[in-house]
Amino acid sequence: QVQLVESGGGSVQAGGSLRLSCAASGRTFSTYATGWFRQAPGKEREFVAAIIWPERTLDYTDSVKGRFTISRDNAKRTVYLQMNSLKLEDTAVYYCAVQSYGYSRRSDEYAYWGQGTQVTVSS
């Protein structure tokens, strides 16, 4: 089992920045990839970014490339999502999730999820 706790959400004006954190506990050595997803009201959950461990590869959806950065602090067992130049359309509940085997952007391939943190971007 892996437990995930997100934090760092909040309200910010368009153009501003937030940094989300995802703290992991439990069987974290079994993590192959950690991803961030988001879900806006009335929309399906969508992939945002991921960090894949063996290759230390980063993956981003096109809409956040150049604005968001995913990173990890091994000692703290925490994955971060630095979000800059936020737009109104970034408003959503953000979730972190862990895959134990292989890598995919599909949310149903992720076995463990946090509770989510709300990000609201206003004009």
Side-chain angles (χ1 to χ4, degrees), residues 92-105:
V93 177
Y94 283 71
Y95 301 88
C96 67
V98 161
Q99 278 185 327
S100 296
Y101 305 100
Y103 173 64
S104 169
R105 289 185 171 190

Side-chain angles (χ1 to χ4, degrees), residues 39-116:
Q39 188 166 18
K43 294 188 177 181
E44 292 188 354
R45 190 169 297 187
E46 66 171 350
F47 170 82
V48 176
I51 184 165
I52 303 108
W53 281 106
E55 303 86 8
R56 299 187 181 182
T57 301
L58 308 180
D59 187 21
Y60 299 94
T61 192
D62 286 347
S63 63
V64 308
K65 283 181 180 176
R67 300 189 299 123
F68 291 11
T69 303
I70 188 170
S71 63
R72 173 163 168 157
D73 185 326
N74 288 336
K76 295 182 178 179
R77 294 193 293 180
T78 298
V79 172
Y80 302 98
L81 186 68
Q82 177 67 43
M83 305 186 297
N84 299 327
S85 302
L86 283 162
K87 303 177 179 180
L88 298 179
E89 53 264 40
D90 294 320
T91 295
V93 177
Y94 283 71
Y95 301 88
C96 67
V98 161
Q99 278 185 327
S100 296
Y101 305 100
Y103 173 64
S104 169
R105 289 185 171 190
R106 292 179 47 172
S107 60
D108 59 359
E109 297 288 337
Y110 288 74
Y112 304 103
W113 291 81
Q115 82 288 350

Side-chain angles (χ1 to χ4, degrees), residues 6-42:
E6 302 99 332
S7 61
S11 297
V12 64
Q13 289 192 323
S17 298
L18 284 174
R19 188 178 78 159
L20 306 184
S21 298
C22 173
S25 60
R27 297 172 63 88
T28 57
F29 60 85
S30 66
T31 298
Y32 187 90
T34 302
W36 284 97
F37 291 79
R38 65 186 180 188
Q39 188 166 18

